[in-house]
Amino acid sequence: TTTISDAATVTIGSSSIFSSTYKTYLIQGSNIHFASDGVQGRAYFQHSGSDVTSSYSRSRIRMKDDSATVSGDSNNANAGSIDNLFGYNVGNASGEAANFTAYLYDPASTDNYKFLYSMASYSENDGAPGFQQTVFSLASTNAVDGIKLFASSGNITSGTVKIYGLA
């Protein structure tokens, strides 16, 4: 369990958090608040304790309650982070927050690309509730030994993140 208290970045893990004991890890973030309005919750995978800042791709669907349309997009470019992992245009007014559940598959392996499947629910900066489901991939066979969470702007002011080994 990692409790967040006004931090620019939150690093989860160390060289021993992900092992071959479990092939799937569940990561849950709850009641995450931001200092700035209209931000995205982002992340980097880490390899050997350093941030991986390239080779990310994603496919996503999202919807908010004031829109009759489900939107989808993908980013097959060489993205520099796991963007919108836990929210898109998240508000910072009283009561607005982000939550997410993500599954990280076989992070300790060195023979496959890394995949993260995420479901997020959040309040957008206009107060409307939103949700998204996203699949992220990292085009690297290096083992992942940590995850760094951060906001697209400003600090993460509070929240809780937990990691569980599943199978």
Side-chain angles (χ1 to χ4, degrees):
T1 299
T2 299
T3 302
I4 304 166
S5 180
D6 200 21
T9 64
V10 178
T11 301
I12 302 163
S14 63
S15 60
S16 62
I17 194 161
F18 300 123
S19 71
S20 59
T21 303
Y22 301 105
K23 297 293 184 188
T24 304
Y25 287 83
L26 171 69
I27 306 165
Q28 290 186 312
S30 59
N31 206 21
I32 298 172
H33 295 265
F34 297 98
S36 300
D37 197 33
V39 302
Q40 291 82 39
R42 297 182 177 172
Y44 294 128
F45 285 141
Q46 294 185 315
H47 170 68
S48 297
S50 296
D51 298 340
V52 178
T53 59
S54 65
S55 302
Y56 296 99
S57 297
R58 69 159 157 72
S59 293
R60 163 181 74 181
I61 60 170
R62 67 183 185 91
M63 185 175 189
K64 61 187 247 183
D65 85 334
D66 63 353
S67 172
T69 305
V70 174
S71 63
D73 63 7
S74 62
N75 175 0
N76 294 318
N78 186 19
S81 70
I82 299 171
D83 65 339
N84 306 313
L85 170 63
F86 50 104
Y88 179 81
N89 289 334
V90 180
N92 70 342
S94 178
E96 295 178 337
N99 304 281
F100 73 96
T101 299
Y103 296 91
L104 175 58
Y105 301 100
D106 211 3
S109 173
T110 57
D111 66 353
N112 62 293
Y113 288 175
K114 304 305 175 259
F115 286 90
L116 180 78
Y117 171 68
S118 172
M119 298 164 285
S121 59
Y122 48 91
S123 299
E124 292 205 8
N125 59 347
D126 61 3
F131 90 94
Q132 66 184 30
Q133 291 182 314
T134 312
V135 174
F136 300 95
S137 67
L138 174 64
S140 171
T141 58
N142 290 331
V144 169
D145 56 24
I147 297 176
K148 181 184 282 185
L149 305 178
F150 61 98
S152 59
S153 175
N155 284 1
I156 301 172
T157 58
S158 63
T160 303
V161 178
K162 296 181 180 184
I163 295 182
Y164 305 93
L166 298 181

